[in-house]
C-alpha cells in the first residue's frame, strides 16, 4: 500500500522556464491538496482538488500557477515562467474523505 | 482572522527529558493535526484530534476545545525525535488546513 508519491523530488529550473510537479495520491484517495513551504516559513495551503474538479483554489497565486487532477493519472501543479521567489518545497497530500490527509515527500524546486 | 500560534519556536532538550509543545488557535475548529517534519524530509502525520487525548508510543496529544489549545508531549525524549513539529487546524466544513510556523526540537544525547 504505497503512500503519496511525488516526483520529481528535486527540480531545478532557470527563470522563465516551466515547472511541472506531479502527485500520485494513495490508492483509493480522490482528494488532493497542494501546499507550499517557502524557505524559513510555514506551510501554506494552495489548492484542493477532487477528480477532474478544482474545489478550492483560494491559496493559489493568481498568475502563472495552475493545478489539475485528471480522471486518469497524477495531479499536476504547473508553474509557468518561474521566478526566484517560486523556490520552495511543494507538498501534496491526499485523503479518502475530507479532513484526514496523508502527505507526500515533497518536491523541492530551485529557480536559478 | 484564523491564526495558529505555536510555542516555543525552538526547543533544545537533553535526552530523556519530558517535552511539551503548545498550539493555540483563534476560533472553533473541526480537527487539529500534529505533524512531524525532519530536516530536508517529508511530513508525517502524528495525530488527528477533535477532542480529548491520544497516545502513540512515547507521544501524547491533548486538546482542550473550550480553551482552543492543544499540546504535544514527548516522554523520554531521544535524539531521533529531533525534528520540526507542526500544528495544523481545520475550521468548520472547510478543507484547507491552517498551519502554525512549527517548533524546531533538538534533543541532545
Amino acid at each position: 500500500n504505497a503512500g503519496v508519491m511525488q516526483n520529481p523530488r528535486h527540480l531545478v529550473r532557470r527563470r522563465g522556464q516551466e515547472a511541472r510537479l506531479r502527485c500520485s495520491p494513495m490508492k483509493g484517495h480522490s482528494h488532493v491538496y497542494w501546499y507550499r513551504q517557502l524557505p524559513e516559513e510555514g506551510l501554506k495551503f494552495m489548492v484542493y482538488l477532487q477528480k477532474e474538479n478544482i474545489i478550492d483554489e483560494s491559496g493559489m497565486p493568481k498568475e502563472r500557477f495552475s493545478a489539475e487532477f485528471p480522471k486518469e493519472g497524477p495531479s499536476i501543479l504547473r508553474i509557468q515562467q518561474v521566478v526566484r521567489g517560486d523556490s520552495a518545497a511543494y507538498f501534496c497530500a491526499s485523503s479518502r474523505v475530507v479532513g484526514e490527509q496523508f502527505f507526500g515527500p515533497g518536491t523541492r524546486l530551485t529557480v536559478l | 482572522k484564523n491564526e495558529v500560534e505555536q510555542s516555543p519556536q525552538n526547543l533544545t532538550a537533553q535526552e530523556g527529558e519530558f517535552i511539551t509543545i503548545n498550539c493555540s488557535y483563534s476560533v472553533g475548529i473541526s480537527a487539529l493535526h500534529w505533524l512531524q517534519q525532519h530536516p530536508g524530509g517529508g511530513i508525517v502525520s502524528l495525530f488527528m484530534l477533535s477532542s480529548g487525548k491520544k497516545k502513540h508510543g512515547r507521544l501524547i496529544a491533548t486538546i482542550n476545545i473550550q480553551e482552543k489549545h492543544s499540546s504535544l508531549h514527548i516522554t523520554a525524549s531521544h535524539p531521533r525525535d529531533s525534528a520540526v513539529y507542526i500544528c495544523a487546524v481545520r475550521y468548520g466544513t472547510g478543507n484547507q488546513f491552517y498551519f502554525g510556523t512549527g517548533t524546531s526540537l533538538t534533543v541532545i544525547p
Side-chain angles (χ1 to χ4, degrees):
Chain A
N1 185 17
V4 178
M5 312 275 284
Q6 287 188 251
N7 68 82
R9 295 290 303 276
H10 298 273
L11 181 61
V12 179
R13 285 287 178 266
R14 296 192 180 279
R15 281 180 297 170
Q17 291 184 319
E18 179 179 285
R20 281 186 178 235
L21 288 62
R22 294 175 185 78
C23 170
S24 296
M26 286 179 67
K27 188 176 181 181
H29 287 192
S30 59
H31 302 244
V32 166
Y33 313 81
W34 284 95
Y35 300 97
R36 179 166 66 174
Q37 187 175 41
L38 292 165
E40 307 303 322
E41 292 189 22
L43 285 155
K44 296 279 193 260
F45 168 80
M46 298 183 76
V47 62
Y48 161 47
L49 309 104
Q50 292 184 32
K51 281 288 186 181
E52 300 185 273
N53 290 302
I54 296 174
I55 307 302
D56 182 350
E57 57 181 348
S58 58
M60 287 275 272
K62 294 289 185 283
E63 297 177 349
R64 302 187 297 108
F65 284 73
S66 62
E68 63 177 8
F69 188 17
K71 187 177 180 181
E72 301 291 337
S75 175
I76 306 286
L77 179 68
R78 181 181 177 206
I79 311 172
Q80 295 177 291
Q81 299 174 331
V82 295
V83 301
R84 288 218 176 103
D86 297 332
S87 295
Y90 292 83
F91 289 93
C92 164
S94 74
S95 69
R96 192 190 305 272
V97 297
V98 170
E100 185 177 9
Q101 299 179 21
F102 297 84
F103 285 82
T107 293
R108 278 148 185 86
L109 171 65
T110 301
V111 179
L112 301 177
Chain B
K1 184 178 178 182
N2 300 324
E3 291 186 345
V4 183
E5 303 276 343
Q6 275 188 247
S7 63
Q9 279 194 315
N10 297 284
L11 181 57
T12 301
Q14 290 290 134
E15 183 173 356
E17 283 186 9
F18 181 83
I19 287 162
T20 296
I21 299 170
N22 298 298
C23 175
S24 298
Y25 47 91
S26 55
V27 297
I29 63 169
S30 56
L32 181 145
H33 279 221
W34 281 102
L35 311 171
Q36 181 192 56
Q37 185 176 28
H38 284 281
I43 297 169
V44 175
S45 180
L46 300 174
F47 294 103
M48 184 176 76
L49 294 161
S50 54
S51 64
K53 175 180 176 178
K54 287 190 177 180
K55 184 176 189 293
H56 185 253
R58 295 180 294 105
L59 301 177
I60 303 166
T62 62
I63 188 167
N64 185 318
I65 299 297
Q66 286 73 32
E67 294 186 3
K68 298 185 179 57
H69 179 269
S70 176
S71 293
L72 176 69
H73 304 286
I74 305 175
T75 61
S77 59
H78 190 276
R80 65 175 173 265
D81 297 327
S82 298
V84 175
Y85 293 84
I86 303 167
C87 172
V89 302
R90 187 164 62 87
Y91 296 99
T93 56
N95 303 312
Q96 68 166 291
F97 275 93
Y98 293 86
F99 297 89
T101 52
T103 295
S104 179
L105 171 65
T106 303
V107 181
I108 299 169

